[in-house]
């Protein structure tokens, strides 16, 4: 079982890559998901301005996320200005 | 007539506007905005990343809002992705309407929302490397005009 | 870069916009409005008369006001005179600027003033003959936005 | 000595022509000028919305106009809307 994580914008710099696959043995809640990542990346993803999409649907409260097998979880920092 | 596209390769505004105008023969006016990578200021390149499953539906929904709010005969929204060079067009928004204020306001509205809300992340390359572009205060002020 | 012209023969917006854009290479954005004789509605032809010694200086002064009010790198103002057919362009206003709001607002401003204040008299030919076009209430409301 | 009169917009229909030349023996004031024209045309030119330019300069108060030899007097109805 696996999860696809997408890091958009400057989060990709922090993750060192735009995309990661995470093996998992059971669905992951928000805290458990962050625990699988480096502390500084986890801290950035937890920031108030980073939004989350699960399979391209915006998640209203990311701390309530349950990420399951096959999900694509995208981490979206604020969009750039013009 | 709605035409919304994400483009991964350079485009020529003129070759896009001409067929759009032809497709809206009943329009009394066509307003257009073309945004380019600003030359100068030490920027060597710009890169636009996006998240297709959100970016494209977001642009479609934005176009639908403009079409619902103003009386338009057509709306063309083109946005580049990927690496761009100074002087290259990034965005083109063109609106055709019977009365000019509809077209001008719709273009203004779509541009403000594309800049402040659409799912694009931009970084620019300067002599010392790549820098992500942050949101600007002015973008939010621009958006507030439409509430 | 200011280019203000009265044209007595048909013009092609695309062939005007391209050299204008090339003449403003430093601009981050170019806003354009093209107004045409609206097809349909029973109008067979439109005729624009003007009084050259007032119309041309008036257009120049209007362009100068826009250039003074917004930060523009260029402003192109073209206006037809004489007989026109449905679908033909009457007016083209294009503004180039560093930031998009300057260009969009300048085009909006110039269009409002061209329509409500410039020395043009228009009559349209319908099945029952020629009819002079009167001022519209909406034109004055549009102008009031800029006071 | 002569004066050129230009009738713009729908005033040309009323005058039957866009341009007229008026012979004069001395400068003409506003009332004297109108007296030289047909009553319905004179009445239209006197309307509050008709402005006057003398040699391409807008006249602030048309009733104070003094038209002299060689002058071009343009009568300008409200411009058409858009």
């Amino acid at each position: 079982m696996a999860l696809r994580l997408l890091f958009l914008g400057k989060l990709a710099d922090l993750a060192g890559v735009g995309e990661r696959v995470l093996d998992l043995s059971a669905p992951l809640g928000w805290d458990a998901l962050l625990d699988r990542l480096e502390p500084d990346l986890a801290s950035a993803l937890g920031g108030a301005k980073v939004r989350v999409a699960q399979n391209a649907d915006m998640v209203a409260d990311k701390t309530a996320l349950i990420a399951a097998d096959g999900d694509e979880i995208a981490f979206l920092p604020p969009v750039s200005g013009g | 007539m709605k035409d919304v596209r994400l483009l991964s390769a350079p485009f020529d505004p003129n070759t896009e506007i001409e067929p759009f105008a032809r497709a809206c023969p009943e329009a009394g006016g066509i307003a257009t905005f073309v945004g380019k990578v600003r030359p100068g200021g030490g920027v060597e390149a710009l890169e636009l990343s996006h998240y297709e499953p959100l970016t494209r539906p977001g642009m479609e929904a934005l176009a639908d809002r403009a079409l619902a709010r103003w009386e338009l005969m057509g709306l063309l929204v083109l946005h580049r992705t990927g690496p761009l060079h100074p002087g290259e067009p990034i965005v083109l928004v063109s609106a055709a309407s019977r009365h000019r204020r509809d077209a001008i306001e719709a273009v203004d509205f779509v541009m403000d929302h594309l800049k402040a809300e659409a799912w694009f992340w931009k970084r620019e390359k300067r002599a010392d490397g790549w820098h992500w572009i942050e949101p600007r205060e002015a973008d939010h002020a621009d958006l507030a005009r439409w509430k």
Side-chain angles (χ1 to χ4, degrees), chain B residues 12-15 17-18 21-22 24-40 87 97-101 103-105 107-108 111-113 115-116 136 139 142 145-146:
Chain B
D12 173 15
N14 272 310
T15 59
I17 293 167
E18 216 171 325
R22 267 201 306 275
C24 305
E26 301 294 305
I30 295 187
T32 302
F33 181 82
V34 177
K36 300 176 184 185
V37 185
R38 267 195 293 272
S97 62
R98 187 166 163 79
H99 298 293
R100 77 176 180 283
R101 297 218 46 75
I104 293 174
E105 288 185 6
V107 168
D108 202 12
M111 279 306 306
D112 278 356
H113 286 79
K115 289 288 190 175
R136 300 184 317 152
D139 293 323
D142 285 343
R145 300 185 305 133
W146 306 104

Side-chain angles (χ1 to χ4, degrees), chain B residues 34-77:
Chain B
V34 177
K36 300 176 184 185
V37 185
R38 267 195 293 272
V43 175
E44 297 163 13
L46 185 75
E47 191 184 47
L48 275 91
S49 51
H50 70 297
Y51 179 44
E52 179 99 13
L54 284 184
T55 311
R56 185 186 298 276
M59 287 171 65
E60 292 278 354
L62 173 58
D64 289 337
R65 284 172 65 192
L67 286 163
R69 187 160 171 171
W70 288 279
E71 269 193 53
L72 304 180
M73 284 152 173
L75 182 61
L76 173 65
V77 181

Side-chain angles (χ1 to χ4, degrees), chain A residues 7-23:
Chain A
F7 304 99
L8 278 303
K10 62 182 173 184
L11 295 175
D13 285 358
L14 211 54
V17 67
E19 196 175 327
R20 270 193 212 179
V21 173
L22 220 62
D23 294 318

Side-chain angles (χ1 to χ4, degrees), chain A:
Chain A
M1 303 207 293
L3 207 58
R4 232 156 70 97
L5 305 183
L6 296 182
F7 304 99
L8 278 303
K10 62 182 173 184
L11 295 175
D13 285 358
L14 211 54
V17 67
E19 196 175 327
R20 270 193 212 179
V21 173
L22 220 62
D23 294 318
L24 71 169
S25 50
L28 283 180
W30 178 250
D31 289 337
L33 175 57
L34 294 193
D35 280 347
R36 299 281 301 272
L37 305 171
E38 305 88 286
D40 59 338
L41 177 58
S43 156
L45 300 185
K49 288 188 170 172
V50 172
R51 302 194 62 190
V52 173
Q54 183 171 25
N55 302 320
D57 279 329
M58 296 305 296
V59 169
D61 173 10
K62 65 188 174 188
T63 65
L65 178 78
I66 306 288
D69 180 40
D71 277 359
E72 177 172 280
I73 309 295
F75 299 98
L76 316 157
V79 298
S80 302

